[in-house]
Amino acid sequence: MTEAEGATKTEAPAPAPPSPPRKQETNVVLWLSYLTIVGLWGASQVVLIPYVANCISLVAAILYVACHWSLALREVPPEGNDDGTNDGGSTPPAVETLSASDAYQFPLVGSCSLFGLYCAFKYLDKDLVNLLIGGYFCLAGCLALTATGAPALLTLAGGNKAFLEKSYGFKKSYQHPAFLNIVLGKEPLELDIEFQTVDAIAIIPSMVLCYFYFMSKHWTLNNILGICFCLQGIQRFSLGTYKIGAILLVGLFFYDIFWVFGTDVMVTVAKSLDGPIKILFPRSLTPSEETGKIDLALLGLGDIVIPGFFLAILLRFDAHQANLPTSYTDVHASFPKPYFHSALVFYILGMSTTMAVMIFFEAAQPALLYLVPACLISSLGCAAIRGEMKELLAYSEEPDEEEEEAEGTKEEESKKDK
């Protein structure tokens, strides 16, 4: 080989070293929260747990788990992945985001729904109303149970989950009659169903449990559905920004006070509606001689889910401040959580205050009267102490307008290609 030939020949670049495996961390508190939820549900059926301690412990565990699951809302595909997948090949979850106009309208819409239920129970047959609402909640509960149980099955499967993760899909368009264009629009209706093998397996016990709940309306089955509704709702919903969250909390603060103190509507609906819109806590394990049922205390799911949305966005703000990667989600990741921890502690104090006032005055209390100030004061106080008020108020999870326009252009192009 000549010198010229040797000069033109270049050495092949050395292969890049394999990236180190991601360190698997363990969040002990998260595992304890799992055990608390399951343990309290099981123990409360055979052991009389003071309902105040039962309520506060269960709700705190639910919030801790759901807020950490909501970290998946930060997950975005890295640049260059046209298929919308991350490094692990999974699809980031769809994000439901609340807008500012939605936050302003939420108390009004909630008031209309609440008063509608009150009128239904007052002027219609109570059993018929509960039958219809029970059927709806059983369908929704089946989906919530499946969404909660499927990840648990994947975790139990460990490394042998290739079969469980096999995906199936069905997509078809249906052209509706022309006279429905005013309601449905001119575009054909699209049915798009995607599921994995694990979903098909998890839905079977979910359907069985919902059937037994529908037939018996037992309080323990009610609590399973209520807990799943809380976990899935907080996990999949984003307030968009801190400011929108504050607007929503303030609006519902007055909403709760009016419907509890100003009228008997809220209490009447809560006691009349026989559905998993509340979590029940036994005050005794011996049925009453008059009713034949055990005495139960209740906590509406709204008093868990609404503050839960706010706590979840604070946890994601903590993750943002800690520069946690968005290419994948690790709910066990260790990072500073000052906003989330302070808000959770204040939430527990607010719930404790609610219980104390309720017991002292022997009257129902609007929990948001105490929980909303607790959440707002803790988060704003933490920001003031850390000197991060500007960053907190500017934090946003709303999609950029440019991204929305790009997605809309892609959808139009795909329709034209079809």
Side-chain angles (χ1 to χ4, degrees), residues 28-85:
V28 177
V29 180
L30 186 59
W31 282 110
L32 288 176
S33 298
Y34 291 142
L35 294 175
T36 299
I37 294 172
V38 177
L40 287 176
W41 176 84
S44 60
Q45 302 177 51
V46 294
V47 179
L48 182 59
I49 305 173
Y51 74 92
V52 174
N54 191 356
C55 174
I56 294 175
S57 300
L58 180 62
V59 171
I62 291 173
L63 287 174
Y64 195 90
V65 171
C67 291
H68 279 77
W69 284 2
S70 79
L71 289 172
L73 296 180
R74 300 182 65 251
E75 192 172 338
V76 294
E79 295 182 4
N81 283 21
D82 296 331
D83 59 352
T85 60

Side-chain angles (χ1 to χ4, degrees), residues 10 26-27 52 72 81 118 161 166 182 201 216 222 240 243 260 262 307 321 330 337 344 365 389 393 415-416:
T10 58
T26 300
N27 186 335
V52 174
N81 283 21
Y118 175 78
K161 55 184 180 181
K166 188 175 181 180
I182 299 177
I201 295 173
S216 67
N222 170 93
K243 293 179 182 178
V260 174
Q321 292 295 92
D330 181 8
K337 306 170 186 176
L344 183 59
Q365 295 294 312
M389 186 69 72
L393 297 178
K415 289 180 180 179
K416 290 180 181 178

